[in-house]
Amino acid sequence: MNTIAATWKGTGRLVYVAAVFAGLGGLLFGYDTGVISGAQLFLKNDFTLSVFTLEVIVSGVLVGAAFGALIGGRLADLFGRRALLIVTAAIFATGAIVCAAASSTTILIIGRLIVGLGIGLSSGAVPVYISEVSPPAARGWTVSLFQLSITVGILLAYVVDYAFAAIQGWRWMFGLAVVPAAVFALGMLFLPESPRWLARKGHRDAARAVLARIRGSADVEDEMLEIERSIAQAKERGRLSDLLQPSLRSALVVGIGLAVFQQVTGINTVIYYAPLIIQSAGISSASGAILATAGIGIVNVLMTIVSMWLIDRVGRRPLLLTGIAGMVVTLVMLGLAFHMSIQAGWLSSVAVICMMLYVASFAISLGPIFWLLISEIYPLTVRSSAEGLSATFNWVSNLVVSLTFLTLLQAIGPSWTFWLYGLLAIGAWVFSYYLAPETKGRTLEEIEEFWRKNRHDE
Ligand code: BGC
């Protein structure tokens, strides 16, 4: 990784330490959304569960996350990214303990809502925090550490579910999240606040000191000047309503559009329901389904690493457009495989391969690049609020897709369900082609300037 090596040499290492620890918020996000797939199988041993109660337990996290992202962004703009992330870690730990110790379904639902709140808060603040401490040349892959952590978290959840399945240990599955939550809290206690947020709040000396510390050099005048210039130019007062200003509207459309497209192209039908899809494709043994699911989790992690390697070299747009095109093709093929599998048994393996290629395409494009772009494209004064709003749209879309997937399967069958996601992926490609900006190598202040000038030129 030349880019990584070069930036490692040229800047302080603290940036990478900060990105890794803040990324633990992503690991908990992935773990807590993934863990339920295994845990839900054993809840019925301890509780009497209606289908509806189970649905609420499963999707409670998504509701909590939508709310958390909405308030989290705003709180991070008001009180600072670091302060919010410390509180978030405590919320993650509390949610894990409540779920693990739940003596009734009501308490379990409360626990899942608390965990969701943590996920939402972290999705509203982690990408922005990493983006604001990173140097432009490395920002692509450092922010993508968030997505990498999500995918590792999902994989970890599959592994933990598998490991505790024999003792039906659902309490362990939920409770183990306390460990990364504690490391996350400890890490954030020792890390500095975002220098950009400090400057915006008028703490210029503190901002300069943090910049010098994270860049590993006292020569940070240029970067400080650029930050101060952009603060002076900002017309926003830091309220959510500022987002409706003409200069910010295009950025808002891009962020919200990508948020919705990231979900309605169906990724979580595969992430949350992989064993079910695999079994309905004809691989009936449970161990075969679990193995294929683990394979999908591994592909997701590996291809995210490939994306991180490419993102600061080839740029955001080429990766985004190539990956979404791959999603379109694999969704069409997945639909075809289901369509024909009635006649030919071997097509079930084709379906599994299509799912892996689909996840691979997502992992190099909409997965990391959505979280990256929404941490880059908004001006400092409203950055976290706007990022949080985009994340909220992402969670609400996630909820809609998760709640409708099984109904769609029954109503129109798997082929048409995947073709529908394929059609929406074509929409995502066209949207990205016309609207997604290239942010590679630019400073956050140059990106702000781009939107303002863009508006000016109209
Ligand atoms: C999405 C999640 C998804 C994950 C899969 C993230 O970027 O926001 O909804 O589960 O990627 O890797």
Side-chain angles (χ1 to χ4, degrees):
M1 288 193 187
N2 284 342
T3 331
I4 297 180
T7 45
W8 181 275
K9 261 177 134 185
T11 65
R13 291 172 190 198
L14 190 59
V15 166
Y16 308 103
V17 178
V20 168
F21 275 101
L24 282 174
L27 187 121
L28 284 153
F29 164 163
Y31 184 85
D32 283 320
T33 50
V35 77
I36 191 69
S37 63
Q40 59 172 307
L41 302 175
F42 309 113
L43 292 176
K44 58 179 179 301
N45 296 346
D46 294 83
F47 306 121
T48 14
L49 281 179
S50 66
V51 173
F52 179 71
T53 314
L54 185 61
E55 270 175 1
V56 177
I57 293 171
V58 173
S59 51
V61 150
L62 303 180
V63 176
F67 179 68
L70 190 64
I71 58 163
R74 181 92 187 103
L75 293 176
D77 274 341
L78 282 176
F79 301 110
R81 288 58 167 129
R82 175 178 168 268
L84 185 78
L85 289 177
I86 294 172
V87 175
T88 303
I91 292 177
F92 268 123
T94 312
I97 293 168
V98 172
C99 287
S103 54
S104 70
T105 49
T106 314
I107 296 181
L108 189 56
I109 291 168
I110 293 172
R112 294 285 289 165
L113 286 170
I114 298 175
V115 165
L117 187 67
I119 298 177
L121 292 173
S122 87
S123 70
V126 171
V128 166
Y129 176 76
I130 304 180
S131 178
E132 288 185 345
V133 295
S134 300
R139 200 179 53 236
W141 75 264
T142 49
V143 178
S144 299
L145 271 173
F146 181 64
Q147 174 71 15
L148 181 66
S149 317
I150 296 174
T151 60
V152 171
I154 293 171
L155 188 60
L156 209 63
Y158 289 162
V159 173
V160 169
D161 279 0
Y162 186 65
F164 285 95
I167 58 158
Q168 316 215 339
W170 63 268
R171 292 183 193 277
W172 281 102
M173 297 175 189
F174 287 129
L176 275 178
V178 162
V179 179
V183 180
F184 182 29
L186 272 179
M188 290 314 300
L189 277 175
F190 290 102
L191 287 169
E193 179 51 273
S194 150
R196 286 177 164 79
W197 182 83
L198 285 169
R200 150 98 175 106
K201 290 286 167 184
H203 309 300
R204 305 253 149 109
D205 292 341
R208 187 173 288 110
V210 171
L211 258 188
R213 214 177 130 205
I214 58 181
R215 296 284 173 265
S217 142
D219 183 17
V220 291
E221 272 325 296
D222 287 352
E223 197 170 350
M224 251 334 265
L225 269 179
E226 206 184 354
I227 295 173
E228 287 182 354
R229 202 166 37 231
S230 108
I231 293 173
Q233 275 174 2
K235 295 195 190 64
E236 305 85 33
R237 290 155 303 170
R239 305 213 180 117
L240 259 183
S241 55
D242 291 343
L243 292 170
L244 298 174
Q245 277 182 26
S247 61
L248 297 190
R249 232 179 270 153
S250 332
L252 194 65
V253 169
V254 172
I256 291 181
L258 288 176
V260 174
F261 279 124
Q262 199 212 34
Q263 293 299 324
V264 298
T265 44
I267 186 63
N268 286 317
T269 63
V270 174
I271 300 293
Y272 301 165
Y273 296 104
L276 189 110
I277 304 175
I278 292 164
Q279 286 192 331
S280 69
I283 297 178
S284 54
S285 84
S287 57
I290 289 172
L291 208 66
T293 306
I296 289 170
I298 291 170
V299 167
N300 197 10
V301 173
L302 292 181
M303 289 309 285
T304 307
I305 296 175
V306 171
S307 172
M308 288 168 66
W309 185 62
L310 289 170
I311 208 157
D312 291 310
R313 301 167 171 224
V314 303
R316 286 53 162 161
R317 276 179 61 85
L319 267 183
L320 190 61
L321 295 173
T322 313
I324 300 178
M327 289 169 71
V328 172
V329 174
T330 47
L331 282 167
V332 170
M333 283 168 50
L334 192 58
L336 273 177
F338 271 99
H339 195 62
M340 293 155 73
S341 61
I342 300 149
Q343 288 100 26
W346 58 269
L347 277 165
S348 55
S349 319
V350 175
V352 173
I353 293 169
C354 285
M355 276 166 69
M356 289 189 173
L357 292 175
Y358 162 74
V359 168
S361 307
F362 173 88
I364 59 158
S365 60
L366 272 177
I369 296 177
F370 158 65
W371 293 108
L372 172 60
L373 283 182
I374 63 166
S375 77
E376 295 181 324
I377 59 174
Y378 298 116
L380 176 57
T381 39
V382 286
R383 186 168 292 138
S384 225
S385 308
E387 199 264 13
L389 188 67
S390 308
T392 306
F393 273 86
N394 188 263
W395 287 112
V396 172
S397 313
N398 187 339
L399 185 64
V400 171
V401 174
S402 308
L403 289 180
T404 51
F405 175 60
L406 295 180
T407 318
L408 274 178
L409 278 188
Q410 271 183 352
I412 57 175
S415 301
W416 281 104
T417 303
F418 289 117
W419 285 335
L420 176 68
Y421 298 141
L423 210 63
L424 289 163
I426 295 176
W429 194 92
V430 174
F431 180 90
S432 307
Y433 181 80
Y434 285 107
L435 295 176
E438 183 53 80
T439 51
K440 173 189 142 191
R442 294 165 156 191
T443 62
L444 293 175
E445 290 68 33
E446 283 165 354
I447 300 170
E448 281 197 49
E449 189 56 23
F450 161 80
W451 295 110
R452 292 208 179 91
K453 259 185 58 210
N454 228 12
R455 178 65 209 170
H456 201 68
D457 295 344
E458 272 175 16

